[in-house]
Amino acid sequence: MHSKRARFLVALFAALCLLTFSLSCGKSADDDEDAAEGGSDDSAEVALTPYKSGGQEGSIAGTISFTGAPPAPKPISMEQDPVCASSNPNAAAEDLVVNGDKLQNVFIYIKDGKAGDKNISSIKFDTPAQAIKLDQHGCRYVPHVIGIQTNQPFEVVNSDPTAHNVNVDAKLNDKFNQGQPPSGAPILKQFKRAETVIPVKCNQHPWMRAYVGVLSHPFFAVTDKDGHFEIKGVPPGTYNVIAWHEKYQKGITQSVTVGASESKALDLSFSSEQLAEGKTEGGVLRMLPALELPMLGEHH
Ligand SMILES: [Cu+2]
């Protein structure tokens, strides 16, 4: 009798231990996760060296062209929302904007490389305090493509007299999906990890698309209506530069060496043939890993 009770107490004690153990296991797993959310390249982040300007930064600038005949702009019907239809009666898709032979909305950025003897990924660059703003105006996103640094404020506003639903479909960052009524408060977010490129959709208006490229450094740009871009303040070094456009499964990768105080010219072109070969469309949003081009020989 006495020993039965003792055995029961031992079993109870063991059960309590097990419970405590599993609770603490659960907790420590959460802690690990929280730690992992602290930023990209977690282990490397500790070792990041703050950038020190040597006063010899250069720039990479040029023009992105479109070769061949561009397809006619696709009209968009916004009739499902009368507010949109009346504000934007002759809307056309923005997935391929060619002016003359120049391609707009190309996101062009330094993927990796070395600034002097340091990997650019090992350097910590200042995070701008100024927010990058994405507006919903005329039932489209303005701008259509934006670049932002990790931890820089990202502000989504609605200037339309209709409701939108901002669906940021991030893979490496926290995704969010949030309604925003007319004159609603701005949505303020940050992206903790570098991620190229995050698609943004509106659940209310299926034609609305934007793309956000997040990088841990400030060396990126988006081509304007003349296909022009400029990446400023680039430390002298040799880099892989990627030009990304939403209609192409693969971006263009180009090795670029920027000398001391050099203004490096970089002109690239996307072709209508690649469009015709069916390398685009459909799952283009899911094809982003293709940005890891084989020629780079590495992954994130
Ligand atoms: Cu919308």
Side-chain angles (χ1 to χ4, degrees), residues 18-33:
L18 199 61
L19 185 66
T20 312
F21 177 72
S22 56
L23 281 177
S24 66
C25 274
K27 184 158 191 323
S28 75
D30 282 352
D31 287 350
D32 288 349
E33 210 170 275

Side-chain angles (χ1 to χ4, degrees), residues 6 13 18 55 57 82 107 115 124 139 154 208 220 267:
F13 181 68
L18 199 61
E57 286 86 354
F107 183 61
K124 182 171 172 43
C139 295
F154 175 57
M208 289 178 67
F220 52 81
D267 298 327

